[in-house]
Amino acid sequence: MRRRLRYLCRRRATQELELILSRFWEDHANELNEQDLVELEALLSLDDMDLLAMCLGQKPFPSSFRAELTRRLLPAHLIKP
């Protein structure tokens, strides 16, 4: 599962999303638990343009996703304390 998720983070429709997700994977892959992996898989099944807008803070993540995972996808300047 980890290999597949790593691949899915690196092969996206836009370079911007690939960069965001690849960096996320490099920074957090080792600390993701089983629940995080399942949730990440669901996130990666979303439309790329919607997911990019969510990662850039232009659109909210669906409330079904836990904030502790989705917050890690946001650039640091968009995270509200």
Side-chain angles (χ1 to χ4, degrees):
M1 179 180 216
R2 286 183 181 272
R3 244 184 309 165
R4 189 166 58 79
L5 290 175
R6 180 176 152 241
Y7 175 81
L8 291 173
C9 285
R10 298 171 68 194
R11 299 290 181 242
R12 305 312 296 190
T14 67
Q15 264 191 321
E16 294 86 352
L17 191 54
E18 283 182 12
L19 288 171
I20 292 168
L21 294 175
S22 292
R23 188 165 294 146
F24 167 81
W25 185 259
E26 290 171 10
D27 293 346
H28 301 287
N30 292 331
E31 60 195 48
L32 297 175
N33 61 36
E34 191 67 31
Q35 184 180 5
D36 292 334
L37 295 173
V38 169
E39 194 165 333
L40 180 60
E41 183 176 34
L43 268 172
L44 295 174
S45 71
L46 297 174
D47 176 74
D48 277 357
M49 296 315 290
D50 288 336
L51 184 54
L52 179 60
M54 291 173 208
C55 290
L56 294 176
Q58 299 169 345
K59 187 176 185 178
F61 284 96
S63 60
S64 58
F65 295 107
R66 291 174 302 127
E68 63 190 65
L69 178 68
T70 57
R71 190 177 319 122
R72 291 185 243 174
L73 285 166
L74 295 171
H77 69 279
L78 294 176
I79 298 174
K80 296 175 184 150

